Amino acid sequence: MNRTSASARRKGQLSFLETESGSPWENFLAQIDAVIPHLGELSRWSETLKRPKRALVVDVPIILDDGSVAHFEGFRVHHNISRGPAKGGVRFHQDSTLNEVMALAGWMTIKNAVVNLPFGGGKGAVRVDPRLLSQEELERLTRRYTSEISSMIGPDKDIPAPDVNTNAQTMAWMMDTYASSNGHTVNSVVTGKPIALGGSIGRIEATGKGVFLTTCAVLRALGDSLEGKRIAVQGFGNVGGIAAQFLQAAGAKIVAVQDVDGCVVNPAGIDVPKLLAHKDVTRGIRDSRLGDDADRKDLWDVDADILIPAAIESQITASVAARIRTRIVVEGANGPTTPEADRVLAERGITVVPDVLANAGGVIVSYFEWVQGFNSLFWREPEVASRLEQILIEAFNEVWDTHVAVGTSLRGAAYILGCRRVLQARQQRGLYP
Ligand code: GLU
């Protein structure tokens, strides 16, 4: 055993924290390490951010429509609960791993602290390609997964929400499964529910709208405006598709869209509502005739002002970062930029609005949904919209001011603010026993 791992063992290093370099969790740790020198006295507590509070791996067996049995791997991680219950989505994706879910939970801890919600960070996933399952199989999968993680979740404990490939219907099944075993309806165990089950107005579009609001905010801070800006978007789902709609309606031009099945490029601007309608019918964005169909990787070479990665993590690698031609990157996805890519973007003078701020609109309206559920009193659209904007813009300004004052990137500034809040809570609570 070499000396580093011997000393790591003495410190109680956990085996599952020994991860490959370049993995999402490694990337998260590098982002934390980068701000520790700015945390002063609080850095004494920083190790708490480098260890998930708890992680559960479950087997999720279901009967398929043909009568056979299939097993899927499920995860739920509470990264940190110093500031409140764990909060974060559940995704269904064929490539999900415990390592990825740990990182996603960590990013939720930072995000919830940056926008000052009274939540810690959590995340869950089932390693499955949901496109291969029927609606009935998906329902059985969701219910069995919920039942397997039921010891982790609860309205004052951990509140799941939609993420990649999950939606309001998924949340309705989760809520119903949890409620059935409790013998009474428990609306606030999940957010992102259908409105008829206690969902909030404005939750579906909240993440995309937040990406739009932070894009406008960064342009304003740079002394510019959205009018006529050319934007390239990766991902055309609940985040990328909705952000593109808001951005186009406010005067920007969406010049390229990439999704899992292809890429559409149109320097004159793609008609976003028409491309969304085409995707609704064909399940993809190819053959839309709303621009030229291109190779997926061509997205990175498009001549535009702003790039919005709104798919999954680790898409902007160092080599992609060296290629892109935009001045600004607004992260709609969680963890889309690797730490090496971040360095390349900084060297090239490209401004990055980090995920923990840019995509926080979703969890902010999740918070509103949770609060409304507890009060059994539901808000109208203008109240949701104005409170969302207020929280997001306040957080943006704090991050921007810290970035100017400390001289770090916007990600560095957001992590300084977020880590400080989490570690202050940790310090004030003290350690038991
Ligand atoms: N999945 C979303 C995110 O990554 C929303 C989480 C939530 O609403 O709890 O921020």
Coordinates of all heavy atoms in Angstrom, one line a residue, residues 20-31 33-34 107 313-324 331 335-350 352 411:
E20 N -12.4 7.2 -10.3 CA -11.5 7.4 -11.5 C -11.4 8.9 -11.7 O -12.3 9.6 -11.5 CB -12.2 6.9 -12.7 CG -12.2 5.4 -12.9 CD -13.2 5.1 -13.9 OE1 -13.2 5.7 -15.0 OE2 -14.1 4.2 -13.6
S21 N -10.2 9.3 -12.2 CA -10.1 10.7 -12.6 C -11.0 11.0 -13.8 O -11.2 10.2 -14.6 CB -8.7 11.1 -12.8 OG -8.3 10.8 -14.1
G22 N -11.6 12.2 -13.8 CA -12.5 12.5 -14.9 C -13.9 12.1 -14.6 O -14.8 12.5 -15.4
S23 N -14.2 11.4 -13.5 CA -15.6 11.1 -13.2 C -16.3 12.3 -12.7 O -15.7 13.2 -12.2 CB -15.6 9.9 -12.2 OG -15.2 10.4 -11.0
P24 N -17.7 12.3 -12.8 CA -18.4 13.4 -12.2 C -18.1 13.8 -10.8 O -17.9 15.0 -10.4 CB -19.9 13.0 -12.4 CG -19.9 12.0 -13.5 CD -18.5 11.3 -13.4
W25 N -17.9 12.8 -9.9 CA -17.6 13.1 -8.5 C -16.2 13.7 -8.4 O -16.0 14.6 -7.6 CB -17.7 11.8 -7.7 CG -17.4 11.9 -6.2 CD1 -16.3 11.4 -5.6 CD2 -18.1 12.7 -5.2 NE1 -16.3 11.8 -4.3 CE2 -17.4 12.6 -4.0 CE3 -19.3 13.4 -5.3 CZ2 -17.9 13.2 -2.9 CZ3 -19.7 14.0 -4.1 CH2 -19.0 13.9 -2.9
E26 N -15.3 13.2 -9.2 CA -13.9 13.8 -9.2 C -14.0 15.3 -9.6 O -13.4 16.1 -9.0 CB -13.0 13.1 -10.2 CG -12.4 11.8 -9.6 CD -11.4 12.0 -8.5 OE1 -10.6 12.9 -8.5 OE2 -11.5 11.2 -7.5
N27 N -14.9 15.5 -10.6 CA -15.0 16.9 -11.1 C -15.6 17.8 -10.0 O -15.2 18.9 -9.8 CB -15.9 17.0 -12.3 CG -15.2 16.3 -13.5 OD1 -14.0 16.1 -13.5 ND2 -16.0 16.0 -14.6
F28 N -16.6 17.2 -9.3 CA -17.2 18.0 -8.2 C -16.2 18.3 -7.1 O -16.1 19.4 -6.6 CB -18.4 17.2 -7.6 CG -19.0 17.8 -6.3 CD1 -19.7 19.0 -6.4 CD2 -18.7 17.2 -5.1 CE1 -20.2 19.6 -5.2 CE2 -19.2 17.8 -3.9 CZ -20.0 19.0 -4.0
L29 N -15.4 17.3 -6.7 CA -14.3 17.5 -5.7 C -13.3 18.6 -6.2 O -12.9 19.4 -5.3 CB -13.6 16.2 -5.4 CG -14.3 15.0 -4.8 CD1 -13.4 13.8 -4.6 CD2 -15.0 15.5 -3.5
A30 N -13.0 18.6 -7.4 CA -12.0 19.6 -7.9 C -12.7 21.0 -7.8 O -12.0 22.0 -7.5 CB -11.7 19.3 -9.4
Q31 N -14.0 21.1 -8.0 CA -14.6 22.4 -7.9 C -14.6 22.8 -6.5 O -14.5 24.0 -6.2 CB -16.1 22.3 -8.5 CG -16.1 22.1 -10.0 CD -17.4 21.7 -10.5 OE1 -18.3 21.1 -9.8 NE2 -17.6 21.8 -11.8
D33 N -12.4 21.9 -4.1 CA -11.0 22.2 -3.8 C -10.6 23.5 -4.2 O -9.8 24.2 -3.6 CB -10.0 21.1 -4.4 CG -10.0 19.8 -3.6 OD1 -10.2 19.9 -2.4 OD2 -9.7 18.8 -4.2
A34 N -11.1 23.9 -5.4 CA -10.7 25.2 -6.0 C -11.1 26.4 -5.1 O -10.5 27.5 -5.1 CB -11.3 25.4 -7.4
W107 N -23.9 18.8 -6.4 CA -24.2 20.1 -7.1 C -25.5 20.7 -6.5 O -25.7 21.9 -6.5 CB -24.3 19.8 -8.6 CG -22.9 19.6 -9.2 CD1 -21.8 20.3 -8.9 CD2 -22.6 18.7 -10.2 NE1 -20.8 19.9 -9.7 CE2 -21.2 18.9 -10.5 CE3 -23.2 17.7 -11.0 CZ2 -20.5 18.1 -11.4 CZ3 -22.5 17.0 -11.9 CH2 -21.2 17.2 -12.1
E313 N -24.1 15.8 -18.0 CA -22.8 16.3 -17.5 C -21.6 16.0 -18.5 O -21.7 15.1 -19.3 CB -22.4 15.8 -16.1 CG -22.3 14.3 -16.0 CD -23.6 13.5 -15.9 OE1 -24.7 14.2 -15.9 OE2 -23.6 12.3 -15.7
S314 N -20.5 16.7 -18.2 CA -19.2 16.4 -18.9 C -19.3 16.5 -20.5 O -18.6 15.8 -21.2 CB -18.7 15.0 -18.5 OG -18.5 15.0 -17.1
Q315 N -20.1 17.4 -21.0 CA -20.2 17.5 -22.4 C -19.1 18.5 -23.0 O -18.6 18.3 -24.0 CB -21.6 18.1 -22.8 CG -22.7 17.1 -22.4 CD -22.6 15.8 -23.2 OE1 -22.7 15.8 -24.4 NE2 -22.3 14.8 -22.5
I316 N -18.8 19.5 -22.2 CA -17.8 20.5 -22.6 C -16.5 20.1 -22.0 O -16.2 20.3 -20.8 CB -18.2 22.0 -22.2 CG1 -19.6 22.3 -22.8 CG2 -17.1 22.9 -22.8 CD1 -20.0 23.7 -22.6
T317 N -15.7 19.3 -22.8 CA -14.4 18.8 -22.3 C -13.4 19.9 -22.8 O -13.7 20.8 -23.4 CB -14.1 17.5 -23.0 OG1 -14.2 17.8 -24.4 CG2 -15.1 16.4 -22.6
A318 N -12.1 19.7 -22.4 CA -11.1 20.6 -22.7 C -11.0 20.8 -24.3 O -10.9 22.0 -24.7 CB -9.7 20.2 -22.2
S319 N -11.2 19.8 -25.0 CA -11.0 19.9 -26.5 C -12.3 20.7 -27.1 O -12.1 21.5 -28.0 CB -10.8 18.6 -27.2 OG -11.9 17.7 -27.0
V320 N -13.4 20.4 -26.5 CA -14.6 21.2 -26.9 C -14.5 22.6 -26.6 O -14.8 23.5 -27.4 CB -15.9 20.6 -26.3 CG1 -17.1 21.5 -26.5 CG2 -16.2 19.2 -26.9
A321 N -13.9 22.9 -25.3 CA -13.8 24.3 -24.9 C -12.8 25.0 -25.8 O -13.0 26.2 -25.9 CB -13.3 24.2 -23.4
A322 N -11.9 24.3 -26.4 CA -10.9 25.0 -27.2 C -11.6 25.4 -28.6 O -11.1 26.2 -29.3 CB -9.7 24.1 -27.5
R323 N -12.7 24.6 -28.9 CA -13.3 24.8 -30.2 C -14.4 25.8 -30.3 O -14.6 26.4 -31.3 CB -14.0 23.4 -30.5 CG -13.4 22.7 -31.6 CD -13.9 21.3 -31.5 NE -15.0 21.0 -32.4 CZ -15.6 19.9 -32.6 NH1 -15.1 18.8 -31.9 NH2 -16.6 19.7 -33.4
I324 N -15.1 25.9 -29.2 CA -16.4 26.7 -29.3 C -16.1 28.1 -29.6 O -15.1 28.7 -29.3 CB -17.3 26.6 -28.0 CG1 -16.6 27.1 -26.8 CG2 -17.7 25.1 -27.7 CD1 -17.5 27.3 -25.6
E331 N -25.0 27.4 -18.3 CA -25.1 26.0 -18.1 C -26.6 25.6 -17.6 O -26.9 25.7 -16.4 CB -24.1 25.5 -17.0 CG -22.7 25.7 -17.5 CD -21.7 25.2 -16.5 OE1 -22.0 25.1 -15.3 OE2 -20.6 24.8 -16.9
G335 N -23.4 20.1 -14.3 CA -22.1 19.6 -14.5 C -21.7 19.5 -16.0 O -20.9 18.6 -16.3
P336 N -22.1 20.3 -16.9 CA -21.8 20.1 -18.3 C -20.3 20.4 -18.6 O -19.8 19.9 -19.7 CB -22.7 21.1 -19.0 CG -23.0 22.2 -18.1 CD -23.0 21.5 -16.7
T337 N -19.6 21.2 -17.8 CA -18.3 21.6 -18.1 C -17.3 21.0 -17.2 O -17.4 21.1 -16.0 CB -18.2 23.2 -18.0 OG1 -19.2 23.7 -18.7 CG2 -16.8 23.7 -18.5
T338 N -16.3 20.3 -17.7 CA -15.3 19.7 -16.8 C -14.3 20.7 -16.3 O -14.2 21.8 -16.9 CB -14.4 18.6 -17.6 OG1 -13.6 19.3 -18.5 CG2 -15.3 17.6 -18.3
P339 N -13.6 20.5 -15.1 CA -12.7 21.5 -14.6 C -11.6 21.9 -15.6 O -11.2 23.0 -15.6 CB -12.1 20.8 -13.3 CG -13.2 19.8 -12.9 CD -13.8 19.3 -14.2
E340 N -11.1 20.9 -16.4 CA -10.1 21.2 -17.4 C -10.7 22.2 -18.4 O -10.1 23.2 -18.8 CB -9.6 20.0 -18.1 CG -8.9 19.0 -17.2 CD -9.9 18.2 -16.4 OE1 -11.0 17.8 -16.9 OE2 -9.6 17.9 -15.2
A341 N -11.9 21.9 -18.8 CA -12.6 22.8 -19.8 C -12.8 24.2 -19.2 O -12.6 25.2 -19.9 CB -13.9 22.2 -20.2
D342 N -13.1 24.2 -18.0 CA -13.3 25.5 -17.3 C -12.1 26.4 -17.4 O -12.2 27.6 -17.6 CB -13.6 25.2 -15.8 CG -15.0 25.7 -15.4 OD1 -15.6 26.4 -16.2 OD2 -15.4 25.4 -14.3
R343 N -10.9 25.7 -17.2 CA -9.6 26.5 -17.3 C -9.4 27.0 -18.7 O -9.0 28.1 -18.9 CB -8.5 25.5 -16.9 CG -8.3 25.5 -15.4 CD -7.0 24.8 -15.0 NE -7.0 23.4 -15.2 CZ -7.5 22.6 -14.3 NH1 -8.0 23.0 -13.2 NH2 -7.5 21.3 -14.5
V344 N -9.7 26.1 -19.7 CA -9.6 26.6 -21.1 C -10.5 27.8 -21.4 O -10.1 28.8 -22.0 CB -9.8 25.4 -22.1 CG1 -9.8 25.9 -23.6 CG2 -8.9 24.3 -21.8
L345 N -11.7 27.7 -21.0 CA -12.7 28.7 -21.2 C -12.2 30.0 -20.5 O -12.3 31.1 -21.1 CB -14.1 28.3 -20.7 CG -14.8 27.2 -21.4 CD1 -16.1 26.8 -20.7 CD2 -15.0 27.5 -22.9
A346 N -11.7 29.9 -19.3 CA -11.2 31.1 -18.6 C -10.1 31.7 -19.4 O -10.0 32.9 -19.6 CB -10.8 30.7 -17.2
E347 N -9.1 30.9 -19.8 CA -8.0 31.4 -20.6 C -8.5 32.1 -21.8 O -7.9 33.1 -22.3 CB -7.1 30.3 -21.0 CG -6.1 29.9 -19.9 CD -5.5 28.5 -20.2 OE1 -5.5 28.0 -21.3 OE2 -5.1 27.9 -19.2
R348 N -9.5 31.6 -22.4 CA -10.0 32.2 -23.7 C -10.9 33.4 -23.4 O -11.5 34.0 -24.3 CB -10.8 31.2 -24.5 CG -9.8 30.1 -25.0 CD -10.6 29.1 -26.0 NE -11.1 29.8 -27.1 CZ -12.2 29.5 -27.8 NH1 -12.8 28.4 -27.5 NH2 -12.6 30.2 -28.8
G349 N -11.1 33.7 -22.1 CA -12.0 34.9 -21.8 C -13.5 34.7 -22.0 O -14.2 35.6 -22.2
I350 N -13.9 33.4 -22.0 CA -15.3 33.1 -22.2 C -16.0 33.1 -20.8 O -15.5 32.5 -19.8 CB -15.5 31.7 -22.9 CG1 -14.9 31.9 -24.3 CG2 -16.9 31.3 -22.9 CD1 -14.7 30.6 -25.1
V352 N -18.6 32.0 -18.1 CA -19.5 30.8 -17.9 C -20.4 31.2 -16.7 O -20.0 31.4 -15.6 CB -18.6 29.6 -17.5 CG1 -19.5 28.4 -17.2 CG2 -17.6 29.3 -18.6
R411 N -18.2 30.7 -11.5 CA -18.4 29.4 -10.8 C -17.7 29.5 -9.4 O -18.2 29.1 -8.4 CB -17.8 28.2 -11.6 CG -18.2 26.9 -10.9 CD -17.6 25.7 -11.6 NE -17.6 25.7 -13.0 CZ -18.6 25.4 -13.8 NH1 -19.7 25.0 -13.3 NH2 -18.5 25.5 -15.1

